[in-house]
Amino acid sequence: MMDIQKIRSDFPILNRKVNDHPLVYFDNAATSQTPQVVIDCIVDYYSNYNANIHRGVHSLSQEATDKYEQARETIRAHFNAKFTREIIFTSGTTDGINLVAHGFSGLLKKGDELIVSALEHHSNIVPWQMLCESTGANLKVIPMNDQGILDMQAYNELLTDRTKLVFCNHVSNALGVINPISEIIKKAHHVGAAVLVDGAQATPHIKPNVQELDVDFYVASAHKMCGPTGVGMLYGKEQWLSKLPPYQGGGEMIAEVTFEKTTYADLPHKFEAGTPNICGGIAFGAAIDYMNEIGFAEIHDYEKELLDYGTSELKKIPGLKIYGETAHKAAVISFNLQGIHPYDVGSIVDKLGVAVRTGHHCAQPIMDYFKIPGTVRASFAFYNTKQEIDTLVSAVKLAQKMLS
Ligand SMILES: *Cc1c(COP(=O)(O)O)cnc(C)c1O
């Protein structure tokens, strides 16, 4: 059992008021809030051992390097990667996807095929479209149904020996649907294709096991799992990371530089040009430690309660439609009130201190599928409560009354 009041006291921001009402933060799918231990970690870094890493003989630099590399090991252990060198620090999910897409530009030829799911965030669509443009490869889409479930039969038919890469999110940020990534990966491997999984929306709720999944690449952002913005991770199987060329050139990523020829550093540094977000990386490690202390099994059970309660309470509102209602979902509810623009609902509930997201959630193809401009999205975290859901429900009812 989670001690929810104790957990809430770890997050200073949850004490604040917004528009004279206690903050109800239901925009966790856009970014999560930050517990005091992570804030303390950031303050500690700049107060006590701020230094550049991997190059200084002096003590501060050594200390910063040790902490940064410890954080990499924390991330490795959390995702159960085989080797620490398979964990690349990035600036976030978007950066990790671009790194891999860039790396494949030399490995693809005209007529090769890439497969994407219909449920993707723009950051797992656009880099691949750019890759297709530069290589002459073609992008195919796994369709979905009204519940946001991918059509696995159609996926089977899309897979051929021309398929080189498949990419899919683990959990959809727009609908909350959990995708059958294990099956997607197995099938892709049958035709020799590699798979990248966008874990940005899964990692706040699920502890992924990259070896068990046998996934080739897995990307995530710290800021969606209690860490700071501007830092994230890319896991890649060593065999793939060795094959891909560096993403950016610069300091830190080289073994030796002369004007005739430069040799690159070993993994993971080959992909980490320039001074990284040192403090962010260390704080990412602290965030993962914090979440593991609470426990992902506990988080799962508690958030399932919130999701079930929120779904049934919201559905009692006449004219409210939920998109992507399936059994396999993370704690995200995407909905609309009949005849009312999502933006208007979001603005009114904000007046009552309730933070929700409105719009296309960087997933316009999903909105096009449902023929809507966007949705209202309430996304829960383990520090939310049923009472807060009650506040959301009455705020949505008020919005409906005012706008219809
Ligand atoms: C948030 C999100 C991203 C983008 O993450 P950034 O931190 O903005 O790079 C990509 N995919 C999904 C599913 C997301 O939820």
Side-chain angles (χ1 to χ4, degrees):
M1 266 301 280
M2 298 198 335
D3 181 349
I4 187 68
Q5 285 318 318
K6 156 89 183 51
I7 286 170
R8 287 180 69 78
S9 71
D10 293 337
F11 292 81
I13 207 168
L14 298 179
N15 289 323
R16 72 160 283 183
K17 291 199 162 174
V18 170
N19 298 323
D20 292 329
H21 293 274
L23 167 66
V24 172
Y25 188 75
F26 284 157
D27 195 17
N28 294 287
T31 199
S32 55
Q33 292 303 343
T34 316
Q36 190 64 49
V37 280
V38 174
I39 299 170
D40 289 346
C41 174
I42 293 166
V43 172
D44 182 41
Y45 172 80
Y46 283 109
S47 310
N48 294 311
Y49 61 97
N50 176 30
N52 211 331
I53 53 171
H54 297 144
R55 29 179 109 147
V57 291
H58 64 82
S59 302
L60 281 195
S61 172
Q62 202 50 59
E63 220 174 301
T65 303
D66 289 349
K67 289 259 173 55
Y68 191 66
E69 291 306 322
Q70 263 167 33
R72 194 192 305 272
E73 167 55 23
T74 300
I75 296 167
R76 183 210 63 76
H78 181 72
F79 290 90
N80 194 36
K82 200 164 179 184
F83 306 113
T84 314
R85 58 182 178 274
E86 293 176 318
I87 302 296
I88 313 296
F89 277 113
T90 63
S91 72
T93 300
T94 306
D95 188 34
I97 295 170
N98 276 281
L99 187 160
V100 176
H102 171 272
F104 269 87
S105 59
L107 303 179
L108 296 182
K109 57 180 190 311
K110 198 168 156 47
D112 282 345
E113 292 180 355
L114 313 183
I115 297 179
V116 63
S117 99
L119 276 168
E120 298 309 301
H121 188 283
H122 294 163
S123 69
N124 205 18
I125 301 174
V126 183
W128 306 113
Q129 287 175 324
M130 291 161 69
L131 177 63
C132 285
E133 225 162 85
S134 68
T135 59
N138 299 311
L139 191 62
K140 307 269 165 171
V141 183
I142 313 170
M144 66 171 192
N145 69 12
D146 284 353
Q147 290 172 290
I149 297 174
L150 294 176
D151 182 342
M152 295 302 277
Q153 191 49 44
Y155 175 54
N156 283 339
E157 287 158 19
L158 289 176
L159 284 166
T160 71
D161 56 5
R162 288 188 302 275
T163 312
K164 293 296 177 281
L165 262 173
V166 176
F167 21 94
C168 180
N169 55 32
H170 193 167
V171 171
S172 155
N173 68 302
L175 305 179
V177 175
I178 302 174
N179 287 312
I181 56 165
S182 198
E183 197 185 334
I184 287 173
I185 294 163
K186 268 200 199 85
K187 289 188 165 151
H189 286 171
H190 277 308
V191 299
V195 180
L196 177 140
V197 171
D198 168 356
Q201 209 55 242
T203 47
H205 313 288
I206 296 169
K207 185 169 177 160
N209 184 331
V210 294
Q211 286 189 78
E212 201 174 279
L213 287 168
D214 197 24
V215 67
D216 302 285
F217 303 98
Y218 196 98
V219 289
S221 296
H223 73 93
K224 295 206 174 155
M225 46 187 308
C226 298
T229 55
V231 66
M233 56 77 69
L234 157 68
Y235 159 78
K237 279 184 188 163
E238 183 172 30
Q239 70 204 71
W240 275 116
L241 293 179
S242 306
K243 215 188 253 182
L244 300 188
Y247 181 35
Q248 294 179 318
E252 305 265 9
M253 55 74 75
I254 49 88
E256 198 178 5
V257 176
T258 67
F259 282 109
E260 286 69 45
K261 182 167 174 56
T262 289
T263 51
Y264 305 128
D266 292 334
L267 291 173
H269 308 293
K270 171 176 134 184
F271 292 108
E272 297 181 349
T275 301
N277 184 349
I278 303 166
C279 175
I282 296 168
F284 188 7
I288 286 176
D289 284 341
Y290 174 78
M291 291 196 75
N292 277 311
E293 230 163 84
I294 292 173
F296 278 83
E298 285 75 9
I299 289 173
H300 172 272
D301 292 350
Y302 182 69
E303 288 183 347
K304 174 94 175 67
E305 254 180 65
L306 292 181
L307 176 65
D308 290 348
Y309 182 71
T311 304
S312 73
E313 290 303 301
L314 282 168
K315 277 172 80 169
K316 288 180 188 161
I317 300 175
L320 186 144
K321 178 177 161 61
I322 294 176
Y323 300 92
E325 217 190 323
T326 80
H328 290 284
K329 260 187 84 167
V332 175
I333 306 177
S334 220
F335 65 91
N336 272 326
L337 290 172
Q338 197 176 6
I340 301 176
H341 199 281
Y343 177 83
D344 296 331
V345 179
S347 308
I348 290 179
V349 303
D350 177 61
K351 297 271 183 295
L352 300 169
V354 181
V356 291
R357 197 73 161 186
T358 65
H360 55 60
H361 317 298
C362 296
Q364 279 177 354
I366 300 179
M367 303 303 134
D368 291 346
Y369 173 87
F370 288 112
K371 300 189 172 60
I372 49 176
T375 68
V376 182
R377 182 185 69 188
S379 50
F380 308 136
F382 57 90
Y383 43 73
N384 289 128
T385 64
K386 286 186 185 171
Q387 291 89 307
E388 288 182 309
I389 291 174
D390 292 338
T391 308
L392 167 72
V393 170
S394 28
V396 170
K397 281 183 185 158
L398 179 71
Q400 189 176 45
K401 210 160 132 194
M402 288 171 69
L403 295 165
S404 46

